[in-house]
Amino acid sequence: MTTEHLLDHRSVASARRMANKVPEVTVYFWAIKVLTTGMGETASDLLARLLGPVPAVALGGLALVAALAVQFTARRYVTWVYWTAVVMVSVFGTMAADVLHVGLGVPYTLSTPVFLVALAAVFALWFASERTLSIHSIHTRRREAFYWAAVLATFALGTAAGDLTATAGLGYLGSVVLFAAAICVPALAHRFGALNAVVAFWAAYVITRPLGASLADWMALGRSRGGLELGLGPVTLAWTVAIVGFVGYLAVTQHERGGAVTV
């Protein structure tokens, strides 16, 4: 094989490598992430109330498949495409946890550890295959598939964990305080060198789910359940508007654009 052939082969391999498909982790990333968790929680409950559980799950599943199909088709990070996929994962992840509890009668004390094991399994398979869990190297289809499997598992786990603490005596506001304090742990541990960046990121990523969901539930649900009784519809709409505002800002300014990765 000639040098020219080798260069051509490398060019083809390089062309097949995508730009990183995940945005940079900034304050905007975490703000939108929390907003999507809360919006997904109330939107899921609202759809189940308006359409019924089965049609709502079917609609949520179809929307998730469509959003991920567009995300996987893209060759680079696209702000609207990525965050639409996250929103749909949030909605469907909530539905998955709720189906187990409401539909099948599985208690949160069981579903929470089950989802934790599922997430651990995804991470184990991902690391065994790719030798990294870093979100800064999502530039192949396989790594992208592992990433979204992990994201879906974190949303389901966070939903179950948030409902577990809320129904175990803390209530929704108490759960907000608990998870707000909990999310500081990986942040501070990483800040002072006790936790590496990858572990700290995924720990915080999991905790944002019950934090945002508990906050949205507290705002939406009735006073008899310890909430502000603002309603599922208004809270879902308000959080959706906030998400659209942040995502629109990022789409224009490109403050959260994923970059090419060299490995």
Side-chain angles (χ1 to χ4, degrees):
M1 183 177 290
T2 65
T3 302
E4 182 178 352
H5 288 155
L6 283 172
L7 290 174
D8 287 342
H9 176 74
R10 289 174 182 174
S11 296
V12 171
S14 177
R16 289 176 179 170
R17 175 168 292 176
M18 304 175 294
N20 195 40
K21 298 287 292 291
V22 177
E24 294 298 319
V25 180
T26 66
V27 65
Y28 301 107
F29 177 94
W30 292 115
I32 302 174
K33 175 60 168 61
V34 172
L35 287 169
T36 61
T37 65
M39 179 270 187
E41 177 77 15
T42 55
S44 174
D45 293 343
L46 181 62
L47 287 172
R49 178 176 297 179
L50 294 176
L51 304 177
V54 175
V57 170
L59 180 62
L62 289 173
L64 173 61
V65 170
L68 287 179
V70 176
Q71 168 66 20
F72 273 80
T73 300
R75 297 290 299 174
R76 60 182 179 82
Y77 166 70
V78 180
T79 308
W80 288 103
V81 172
Y82 174 85
W83 286 110
T84 297
V86 172
V87 166
M88 294 319 307
V89 169
S90 177
V91 173
F92 190 77
T94 301
M95 291 176 173
D98 288 345
V99 164
L100 281 180
H101 180 71
V102 179
L104 302 178
V106 178
Y108 293 125
T109 52
L110 177 59
S111 61
T112 300
V114 165
F115 285 128
L116 179 60
V117 170
L119 177 59
V122 171
F123 282 148
L125 291 172
W126 183 356
F127 189 79
S129 172
E130 304 298 320
R131 310 310 299 175
T132 180
L133 300 179
S134 173
I135 67 165
H136 298 298
S137 59
I138 309 300
H139 53 72
T140 67
R141 297 296 185 201
R142 184 165 58 185
R143 290 187 179 186
E144 190 173 15
F146 278 124
Y147 172 79
W148 286 105
V151 169
L152 182 57
T154 64
F155 273 89
L157 170 60
T159 298
D163 288 337
L164 173 62
T165 58
T167 57
L170 280 180
Y172 294 108
L173 183 57
S175 295
V176 171
V177 175
L178 171 65
F179 292 115
I183 204 170
C184 295
V185 175
L188 292 174
H190 174 61
R191 173 67 177 81
F192 292 104
L195 200 62
N196 71 51
V198 173
V199 176
F201 169 82
W202 283 112
Y205 198 92
V206 171
I207 297 170
T208 56
R209 173 57 182 178
L211 172 61
S214 297
L215 180 58
D217 276 336
W218 174 64
M219 295 173 65
L221 297 180
R223 298 185 186 279
S224 63
R225 301 176 63 181
L228 296 179
E229 205 169 359
L230 299 179
L232 292 172
V235 171
T236 300
L237 178 60
W239 287 52
T240 300
V241 169
I243 292 169
V244 171
F246 270 112
V247 172
Y249 171 76
L250 292 178
V252 172
T253 62
Q254 301 298 316
H255 281 329
E256 208 183 23
R257 177 179 291 278
V261 176
T262 301
V263 292

